[in-house]
Amino acid sequence: MTQWGRWMGVGALALGLAGTVQAQAVAVAPSTTAQAVDAAAVARHYAVLVHATYEDTLGAALSLQQRLLALVAEPSAERLEAARQAWRDAREAYGQTEAFRFYGGPIDDDKGPEGRLNAWPLDESYIDYVKGKPGAGFINNRRIVISKAGIAGLNERGGEENISAGWHAIEFLLWGQDQRADGAGQRSFEDYVDGKAPNADRRRQALTVITELLVDDLRSLVRAWQPGAPYRSRFEAGAQESVRKIIVGLGSLSRGELAGERMEVALNTQDQEDEHSCFSDNTHRDIVTNALGIRNVWTGRYVRTNGSVIEGASLQALVAGRDAALAARTGRQIEDSLAAAQAIQAPFDQEILGGANAPGRQRVQATIQSLVQQSKDLVAAAQALGITRLTLVKP
C-alpha cells in the first residue's frame, strides 16, 4: 500500500465538482486540430509520451548509478556532491511520470513497483543511524543480508513508514537527516569510509543495491510501455476507456496527491517530516515537475532530456472538439497551477511556516487552490467527453 493510500484512500469524486527541465508557464495550443483527434489517437500518443518519459527517467537513473558507484569506490566530498546532483537531475524526469499513476497501470497495479520507487515518508531509523540512535537501521544490523531480494522484502515490512528502497531511501543515504532550517542534510562522505564510520562497508553495499533495484524497477516500466508490449497494446486499443484512465491519473494527482497529500498535509502540520523530499530540500522541484507532468499529458507535448520534443494528439484537442471554451479554460488553469508551483521558494519546509498571511504559506496555498480548481475542470472535461465513471484519489 502506498503512502497516498494511507492518508486519503480512494473514492468516487462526483461529477458535480465543477539534464534538468526548467518548465515555462506559457500557453501551449493543441498540437493537433480537434477535427483530427479522436480517443484512439489520444490513447496512442499518450503511450508514446509515457514510454519516452520513462526512458528518460531510466537514463537519468543510470547516470545516477554511475555517480554512486564512483562514490562507493572512492568516497570523497566531491563525489558525494556529484551523486547528490545526479539524484536531483533524475528526479526532474521521474517527477513528470507521476501523471501516469492512479489508474492501475504498470507502475501501481497489484504487482507494480511504485511502493518501492517513491514511497514516503520514511522512518530514517529503519535504514540507518539517526540522531540519538547510532546503531539504528538494517545497515547497522549485520545479521541482515543486504541484497536486492532482501531490500525488497524489507520495504514496508511491519509498517508503511518502514521504507527500505526507492528514491527517498537513496536520498537519505546521500544527505542524512535534515536538521537545519537553512539547508539540506549534511551527511559526510566519511560515512562511506572504512575506519571513519561504523558499518561503512554495509552503507556502501546498501546504496549500491538500492540503486540497482531502482534501475530494475524503472527498466520494467520502460518494457511495459514499449511498442508492441502487451500492456501498451491493450491501452492503445482501449480508446475511450484509456482516455478515462488518463483523466483519472491527472485528476488524482492534481487534487488527492499533489494538492492534498504532498502540500495540504505539510501546510497544516508545518512539520518538516511531512514534506516530500525532506533530506535534500528538493520538495519545491517535486511539486513543479508533478505539475509539469500534468501539462505534458494535457497538451500531448513533452520536452525530452536531450531537448527533442514529442507532440501529438492531445487530451486538450479532444476536449476542444466537444467544448472549446472548456478546453481553453482547463488549459489556462493547468498553466496557472504550473506558474504557482514555480513561485514556491526553497526550502519548502520554511515556506510552510508562520501564520496564514506569511508569504511562503500564501504561495503554497495559491498552488493548492489552483490545483483544486484544475481537478474540477478535468472532471468537467471528462463529462464533456461522455465519461461518467471516475474514481479518483481524493482528500
Side-chain angles (χ1 to χ4, degrees):
M1 181 177 182
T2 55
Q3 186 61 23
W4 58 264
R6 172 190 167 206
W7 279 98
M8 294 171 291
V10 176
L13 186 63
L15 283 171
L17 288 176
T20 297
V21 177
Q22 294 294 336
Q24 299 298 319
V26 295
V28 178
S31 57
T32 309
T33 63
Q35 292 78 8
V37 170
D38 59 15
V42 171
R44 288 193 300 269
H45 180 65
Y46 174 87
V48 172
L49 190 150
V50 172
H51 183 248
T53 313
Y54 277 133
E55 273 193 329
D56 285 351
T57 304
L58 175 60
L62 289 169
S63 296
L64 168 62
Q65 186 176 46
Q66 292 307 306
R67 294 293 187 180
L68 295 175
L69 289 173
L71 171 65
V72 300
E74 189 177 335
S76 68
E78 293 75 18
R79 292 189 176 200
L80 176 57
E81 183 49 44
R84 288 171 173 170
Q85 186 57 52
W87 184 92
R88 294 186 195 99
D89 291 344
R91 290 290 289 180
E92 291 290 307
Y94 184 78
Q96 296 174 69
T97 73
E98 292 283 82
F100 313 145
R101 289 183 51 200
F102 307 111
Y103 54 79
I107 189 170
D108 53 9
D109 63 14
D110 290 341
K111 297 181 180 179
E114 199 283 328
R116 285 194 305 270
L117 279 169
N118 203 38
W120 71 283
L122 59 78
D123 177 359
E124 304 99 305
S125 65
Y126 189 66
I127 298 174
D128 200 1
Y129 75 88
V130 294
K131 185 177 181 180
K133 296 181 179 179
F138 63 81
I139 285 175
N140 295 298
N141 184 348
R142 301 193 73 89
R143 293 173 296 178
I144 295 177
V145 176
I146 297 176
S147 65
K148 284 195 285 188
I151 293 294
L154 286 171
N155 200 57
E156 296 185 333
R157 179 184 294 177
E160 290 182 340
E161 293 189 5
N162 291 344
I163 305 302
S164 60
W167 293 108
H168 298 296
I170 296 170
E171 180 193 9
F172 173 56
L173 288 172
L174 290 176
W175 275 274
Q177 285 181 291
D178 182 4
Q179 301 181 48
R180 303 169 55 200
D182 60 347
Q186 296 294 301
R187 186 187 290 275
S188 170
F189 77 90
E190 291 186 340
D191 276 0
Y192 293 95
V193 178
D194 291 331
K196 295 290 187 178
N199 296 308
D201 59 328
R202 286 176 60 81
R203 196 166 289 110
R204 295 194 301 270
Q205 185 182 16
L207 186 58
T208 301
V209 169
I210 293 169
T211 306
E212 288 175 356
L213 187 60
L214 178 86
V215 167
D216 288 349
D217 285 337
L218 290 172
R219 189 171 279 122
S220 75
L221 294 171
V222 173
R223 286 197 300 266
W225 283 100
Q226 69 186 8
Y231 180 83
R232 176 166 171 172
S233 296
R234 291 194 301 273
F235 190 92
E236 289 177 332
Q240 181 82 339
E241 170 60 14
S242 293
V243 169
R244 184 191 70 82
K245 291 178 179 179
I246 293 169
I247 296 176
V248 165
L250 299 188
S252 295
L253 178 58
S254 295
R255 181 63 185 103
E257 185 73 7
L258 185 53
E261 169 68 9
R262 299 186 182 182
M263 300 180 71
E264 280 181 327
V265 171
L267 192 68
N268 290 336
T269 65
Q270 301 192 38
D271 189 344
Q272 181 185 61
E273 292 295 314
D274 287 326
E275 70 163 318
H276 198 177
S277 295
C278 63
F279 312 117
S280 61
D281 276 346
N282 198 59
T283 302
H284 64 297
R285 289 304 305 166
D286 293 334
I287 295 168
V288 170
T289 56
N290 289 175
L292 178 57
I294 294 168
R295 187 182 77 172
N296 293 347
V297 174
W298 174 253
T299 63
R301 185 177 191 272
Y302 169 57
V303 181
R304 301 200 63 166
T305 54
N306 65 6
S308 64
V309 178
I310 292 174
E311 290 186 274
S314 69
L315 186 59
Q316 178 172 276
L318 184 64
V319 175
R322 301 290 184 89
D323 188 331
L326 172 61
R329 184 173 75 244
T330 305
R332 287 194 299 270
Q333 195 63 50
I334 288 172
E335 297 297 339
D336 287 348
S337 296
L338 180 56
Q342 290 174 315
I344 295 173
Q345 299 180 12
F348 181 81
D349 56 21
Q350 299 303 298
E351 287 283 89
I352 59 178
L353 299 181
N357 294 325
R361 288 181 65 82
Q362 289 185 330
R363 286 187 287 267
V364 174
Q365 187 62 54
T367 308
I368 292 170
Q369 290 171 345
S370 186
L371 289 164
V372 169
Q373 182 58 51
Q374 172 178 303
S375 71
K376 295 176 182 178
D377 291 342
L378 286 166
V379 171
Q383 189 173 28
L385 295 174
I387 296 170
T388 58
R389 183 173 60 88
L390 290 177
T391 303
L392 308 184
V393 173
K394 68 175 185 175

